[in-house]
Amino acid sequence: VEVVKRTTSINVEWSRKITHLLCSTGAVGFVIYLTPYEVLLTVIVFTVALIVSISTGILTSVHDVPRTTYGEVIFPVAVGLGALFYHPDSPYAQTDSTLPYIYGILIMGLADLAANLVGHGIPSPILPLSKRKTLAGTSAFFLVAAIVGISMVIPLPEAILFAAILAFIELVVPY
């Protein structure tokens, strides 16, 4: 994505969205193909590389957005924590199911992306608990989170409850 961004006129917002989508779909496979320790090592390497990149400006496809954001560092940390607690082979696993890990990654990758695209693409009011998040974007987050939950065979009431809770968190977290 960085090469495409540097060799074309692709907008940094789009290169960031593409990177976000590719990283989240790739991270879904971590729990299937990697041991918990391999996931943690990968996450540590990516986190350090991204922190260095922020200070040096190497990855313009991710960092050159005109707003304060920490998502590029929070995302790999969340992947690592997810693997630590929801990888079936982790000594700290809370369950033998990979469902919570995959659900969390897909929410970060798909629902957050939908919120951004719809929130910027459809004019709607800014919600009172946020300085910049809109009704359209938060609604898109909720809808995609609910669809992801339902598609993963989470019962409808729980899928809607999880989607509502996560949409609220996404609304009030400023980054």
Side-chain angles (χ1 to χ4, degrees):
V1 176
E2 183 68 22
V3 171
V4 171
K5 198 262 183 199
R6 288 179 186 243
T7 59
T8 68
S9 60
I10 188 172
N11 181 294
V12 68
E13 289 291 347
W14 281 104
S15 66
R16 188 176 169 93
K17 287 173 182 54
I18 293 166
T19 301
H20 191 75
L21 184 62
L22 292 173
C23 288
S24 62
T25 54
V28 165
F30 285 4
V31 76
I32 299 166
Y33 299 108
L34 300 177
T35 69
Y37 303 106
E38 291 168 336
V39 174
L40 292 174
L41 178 62
T42 302
V43 164
I44 290 167
V45 168
F46 269 92
T47 303
V48 169
L50 287 166
I51 290 169
V52 168
S53 174
I54 289 169
S55 63
T56 61
I58 294 171
L59 294 176
T60 60
S61 63
V62 176
H63 304 306
D64 277 358
V65 289
R67 65 184 184 282
T68 301
T69 179
Y70 300 104
E72 64 269 25
V73 175
I74 293 170
F75 182 83
V77 171
V79 169
L81 290 172
L84 190 64
F85 294 113
Y86 296 107
H87 192 298
D89 297 333
S90 171
Y92 306 104
Q94 302 299 301
T95 178
D96 289 335
S97 172
T98 58
L99 183 105
Y101 172 86
I102 294 171
Y103 178 73
I105 299 299
L106 290 177
I107 295 302
M108 286 191 300
L110 301 178
D112 189 56
L113 179 61
N116 186 288
L117 289 171
V118 173
H120 286 99
I122 297 175
S124 72
I126 294 176
L127 293 172
L129 296 174
S130 172
K131 292 182 179 167
R132 62 182 180 91
K133 296 183 182 178
T134 66
L135 177 61
T138 300
S139 298
F141 186 100
F142 169 79
L143 183 62
V144 171
I147 290 169
V148 168
I150 293 164
S151 70
M152 295 186 71
V153 197
I154 295 173
L156 184 62
E158 286 92 342
I160 291 172
L161 178 62
F162 293 161
I165 291 168
L166 293 170
F168 178 77
I169 293 169
E170 196 274 337
L171 171 66
V172 297
V173 172
Y175 303 106

